[in-house]
Amino acid sequence: MQMISCNLNYKPLSINEAWQGKRYKTEAYKQYEKDLLFMFPNGKVDATQMLRIEFFFGFSNQSSDLDNPVKLLIDIAQKKYGFNDKNVFELNVRKCLVKKGDEFIQMGIFNLLPF
C-alpha cells in the first residue's frame, strides 16, 4: 500500500552543503528544509509501522554520491509526516544523470511488505 509519493523538481542537497562543523545547519540546509516541507505533499504515515522508503535522484554532477542526500531527506520527511526514522527498515536508492537545471528528487514512503 502506497502511503506517500512525490516527484520534486529540486536539486538534492549534499551533506557537505548542509552542515557547518559538527552541529550547525548551513543557511542552504535551512532553506532546503523549509522549501521541501512546503513542497512535500500532505499525507499520513502510520508511525507505528515498519517503513520502506524509496528515493530516485536526478543528479547533474556525475561525481554526486548516491547516499549523500538520503539522511537529509529522511530527517525532513519525518518532520513533515511524524514518523521516527528508527522505523525505516528498508531503503531503495538509485540515481541517474540529467542536464544541469533538470535535477530532481522522487520519494515514496510505504509500509514494509513481508517477504
Side-chain angles (χ1 to χ4, degrees), residues 1-114:
M1 176 178 118
Q2 183 170 331
M3 297 170 61
I4 303 292
S5 183
C6 62
N7 183 1
L8 307 174
N9 293 321
Y10 203 94
K11 180 180 177 183
L13 191 68
S14 75
I15 290 289
N16 295 332
E17 293 172 307
W19 297 101
Q20 295 173 347
K22 289 188 177 185
R23 297 275 181 200
Y24 301 101
K25 293 179 182 177
T26 63
E27 290 303 315
Y29 181 35
K30 290 176 188 176
Q31 186 62 51
Y32 184 69
E33 181 178 54
K34 181 179 174 183
D35 291 347
L36 292 184
L37 286 171
F38 178 75
M39 294 171 73
F40 281 168
N42 291 328
K44 302 264 187 214
V45 171
D46 185 346
T48 65
Q49 295 293 310
M50 294 186 295
L51 302 173
R52 178 181 94 241
I53 299 180
E54 297 182 357
F55 292 110
F56 181 33
F57 300 113
F59 293 118
S60 60
N61 184 339
Q62 189 169 2
S63 62
S64 293
D65 291 344
L66 175 65
D67 63 335
N68 215 319
V70 171
K71 178 65 175 156
L72 304 175
L73 286 166
I74 291 174
D75 288 347
I76 295 168
Q78 73 178 346
K79 189 176 208 177
K80 173 79 174 191
Y81 300 115
F83 66 91
N84 190 317
D85 60 0
K86 72 179 183 180
N87 290 335
V88 176
F89 282 77
E90 182 180 337
L91 285 174
N92 295 305
V93 185
R94 63 187 173 129
K95 71 177 182 179
C96 69
L97 294 174
V98 297
K99 295 186 303 186
K100 190 165 185 68
D102 289 342
E103 295 90 351
F104 67 85
I105 301 164
Q106 288 183 4
M107 178 182 75
I109 303 174
F110 309 90
N111 288 336
L112 184 68
L113 300 174

